[in-house]
């Protein structure tokens, strides 16, 4: 794995990647979907423009809707707002194709195979294939079966061309469905060919959690229950359900954010240093954290989780409706759009250090942050001087936006009397590196091409995350579940979440 600062970063140092990426055919299933339009095509365009992909790479969008290559290209350039006559776009558009077909139709897959083989012959490249399942999970089975039947997947480990598959989230709905999907994937692909995406792992700041911890000598010795009081992980969004009610009504915040993104942030914060930066070594350590999560019984869930839904209010100055009044949402919906949870990790390093997680939609602003709150010094020397309570040191890893890291320290305020105030030492990506971090999907698509699965979730990782989340989901459906709380759009969550912290003598950090 190449992480910024420890090894060459392919997204920064073009020369590393030029020639490193294999020529391949990329097939995106679900080409008419929102994800393809908003994330995948722009990422592939930028990778082509920046010459990160091999020049002989071709991209085929596969979907039901009938359209020509030309229409597909024009739609893409319009969505991206790229000038269709620009040389960069022309080069990308030349590699962009469209294949009409239904996921259920085996003949459409045979046609896909024929067109891929023709293209590869003409371009003089091996038949390396990257399949991207940007489709709802209900389509995965059929697509996988037809890919296998049409002979579109090369066996893993063979010398010669490779086949890989990227699977978008949601990866299942619960443990049982995730296991079933894994079993289906393994009928066609070997685990080493499967890339389960969690786009948070593609974020530069998320990768930097490990660099920050392990490339510096001064933090890791403090990174344990002797020095850390507790950890707060916040993933706040100002957006609402945004027309995705059909999906979100079933998923809710627990499946949409906690099973994947939040647990990824937690494992990277809590894991032991791996012996090597290899995909398996890193993921082995993350898996150990998931195994160490204290399984929440129904009584723990009732006491240590808060489930809430947004009520009408104003977000970023705009009046926004209650979740139940959003288009497509059941007016009596009990779906959670916010959760807060107190999570414990039963291992040597973290025993007694609670991790408080919270995530919600329609919060005052978009902010993802991990706060490491340190213990007070063992002896309050300055209290006798009338300084009162001194704020603990807090290390804030700002994942997005305003990406950076800050450490608050107590400092003497200038003057004759002794006043201690918190001040901040701050690192900001934009000012230090002169640019915002690149888009997560670029990094992940490139890593898959390079055969590096470090930033993708392994089978056991996904299943353990589901095991934990399922325990909460089950308890949330049982009789003794915590009542659904409400919070106004534009607020930081319900009072119940503040009470959860107050019970432990703590408070959520203001973001
Ligand atoms: C997605 C969720 O996985 O992540 C969305 O389905 C959420 O509901 C999104 O809005 C958040 O991603 P980001 O990168 O904007 O933090």
């Amino acid at each position: 794995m190449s992480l910024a600062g420890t090894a060459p970063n392919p997204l920064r140092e073009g020369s590393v990647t030029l020639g490193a990426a294999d020529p391949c055919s990329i097939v995106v299933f679900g080409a008419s979907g929102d994800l393809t339009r908003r994330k995948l095509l722009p990422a592939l365009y930028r990778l082509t423009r920046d010459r990160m992909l091999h020049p002989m790479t071709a991209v085929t969008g596969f979907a039901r809707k009938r359209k020509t290559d030309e229409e597909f290209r024009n739609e893409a350039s319009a969505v991206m707002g790229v000038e269709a006559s620009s040389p960069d776009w022309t080069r990308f558009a030349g590699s962009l194709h469209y294949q009409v077909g239904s996921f259920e139709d085996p003949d459409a897959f045979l046609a896909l195979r024929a067109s891929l083989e023709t293209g590869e012959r003409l371009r003089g490249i091996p038949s390396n294939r990257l399949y991207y399942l940007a489709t709802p999970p209900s389509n995965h089975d059929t697509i996988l079966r037809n890919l296998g039947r049409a002979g579109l997947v090369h066996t893993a480990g063979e010398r010669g061309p490779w086949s890989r598959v990227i699977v978008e989230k949601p990866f299942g709905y619960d443990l049982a469905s995730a296991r079933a999907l894994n079993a289906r994937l393994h009928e066609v692909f070997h685990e080493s060919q499967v890339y389960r995406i969690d786009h948070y792992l593609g974020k530069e700041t998320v990768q930097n959690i490990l660099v920050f911890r392990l490339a510096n000598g001064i933090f890791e010795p403090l990174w344990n229950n002797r020095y850390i009081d507790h950890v707060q992980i916040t993933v706040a969004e100002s957006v609402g359900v945004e027309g995705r009610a059909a999906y979100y009504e079933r998923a809710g915040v627990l499946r949409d954010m906690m099973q994947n993104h939040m647990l990824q942030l937690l494992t990277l914060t809590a894991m032991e240093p791996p012996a090597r930066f290899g995909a398996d070594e890193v993921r082995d350590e993350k898996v150990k954290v998931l195994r160490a999560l204290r399984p929440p019984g129904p009584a723990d869930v009732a006491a240590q989780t808060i489930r809430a839904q947004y009520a009408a209010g104003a977000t970023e100055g705009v009046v926004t409706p209650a979740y139940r009044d959003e288009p497509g949402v059941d007016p009596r919906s009990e779906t959670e759009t916010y959760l807060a949870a107190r999570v414990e990790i039963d291992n040597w390093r973290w025993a007694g250090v609670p991790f408080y997680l919270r995530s919600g939609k329609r919060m005052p602003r978009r902010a993802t942050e991990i706060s490491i709150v340190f213990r007070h010094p063992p002896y309050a020397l300055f209290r006798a001087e009338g300084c009162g309570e001194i704020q603990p040191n807090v290390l804030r890893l700002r994942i997005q936006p305003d990406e950076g890291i800050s450490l608050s320290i107590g400092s003497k305020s200038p003057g004759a009397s002794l006043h201690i105030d918190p001040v901040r030492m701050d690192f900001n990506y934009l000012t230090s590196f002169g640019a915002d971090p690149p888009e997560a999907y670029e990094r992940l698509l490139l890593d898959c091409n390079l055969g590096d699965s470090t930033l993708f979730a392994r089978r056991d990782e996904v299943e353990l995350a589901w095991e934990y989340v399922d325990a909460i989901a089950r308890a949330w459906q049982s009789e003794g579940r915590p009542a659904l709380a409400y919070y106004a759009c534009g607020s930081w969550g319900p009072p119940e979440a503040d009470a959860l912290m107050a019970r432990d003598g703590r408070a959520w950090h203001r973001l």
Side-chain angles (χ1 to χ4, degrees), residues 39 169 199-200 203 235 237 239 244 247-248 256-257 260-261 361 366 368 400:
K39 298 286 186 190
K169 67 168 284 255
H199 76 278
Y200 268 53
K203 292 180 193 272
V235 184
E237 298 189 276
V239 292
R244 297 160 73 217
Y247 152 74
Y248 198 85
D256 189 48
M257 299 300 280
N260 36 66
H261 311 324
K361 291 204 181 284
R366 178 171 184 247
T368 299
Q400 65 185 20

Side-chain angles (χ1 to χ4, degrees), residues 271-275 280-289:
M271 67 185 255
E272 295 300 317
D280 273 329
E281 288 83 350
V282 170
R283 296 186 297 180
D284 284 348
E285 297 305 333
K286 289 165 68 188
V287 159
K288 284 185 206 160
V289 176

Side-chain angles (χ1 to χ4, degrees), residues 157-206:
E158 274 180 356
R159 282 169 172 267
W162 49 257
S163 302
R164 296 175 190 142
V165 63
I166 300 185
V167 188
E168 249 309 321
K169 67 168 284 255
F171 195 91
Y173 173 79
D174 54 12
L175 178 60
S177 54
R179 278 192 176 142
L181 177 52
N182 276 328
R184 169 65 78 194
L185 274 162
H186 284 182
E187 283 171 19
V188 185
F189 291 94
H190 182 265
E191 177 63 21
S192 62
Q193 299 173 295
V194 180
Y195 291 71
R196 297 174 191 81
I197 213 161
D198 183 316
H199 76 278
Y200 268 53
L201 291 177
K203 292 180 193 272
E204 200 73 21
T205 42
V206 172

Side-chain angles (χ1 to χ4, degrees), residues 296-417:
D300 305 316
V301 173
Q304 304 192 347
T305 66
I306 304 298
R307 41 189 293 269
Q309 192 185 75
Y310 61 81
T315 322
E316 294 175 328
V318 178
V319 173
T320 40
Y323 176 72
R324 289 178 181 172
D325 294 331
E326 296 272 18
V329 171
D330 179 348
R332 285 164 309 162
S333 172
E334 289 265 307
T335 300
E336 301 83 11
T337 60
Y338 173 99
L339 72 77
R342 184 183 193 279
V343 173
E344 286 186 84
I345 303 174
D346 286 336
N347 66 17
W348 200 265
R349 186 189 283 260
W350 295 113
V353 179
F355 280 61
Y356 299 95
L357 274 51
R358 64 175 163 164
S359 177
K361 291 204 181 284
R362 285 280 186 243
M363 304 200 71
R365 58 192 188 83
R366 178 171 184 247
T368 299
E369 185 172 305
I370 302 170
S371 307
I372 315 290
V373 183
F374 289 90
R375 290 186 187 284
H376 285 288
Y379 173 59
L381 177 65
F382 297 109
R383 190 174 290 158
E385 310 298 317
C387 283
E389 195 62 37
I390 298 171
Q391 297 296 315
N393 298 115
V394 181
L395 180 71
R396 292 167 178 238
L397 308 179
R398 296 193 306 275
I399 305 297
Q400 65 185 20
D402 184 25
E403 290 82 358
I405 295 175
S406 71
L407 176 65
S408 71
I409 49 181
S411 179
K412 181 180 174 307
S413 300
S417 57

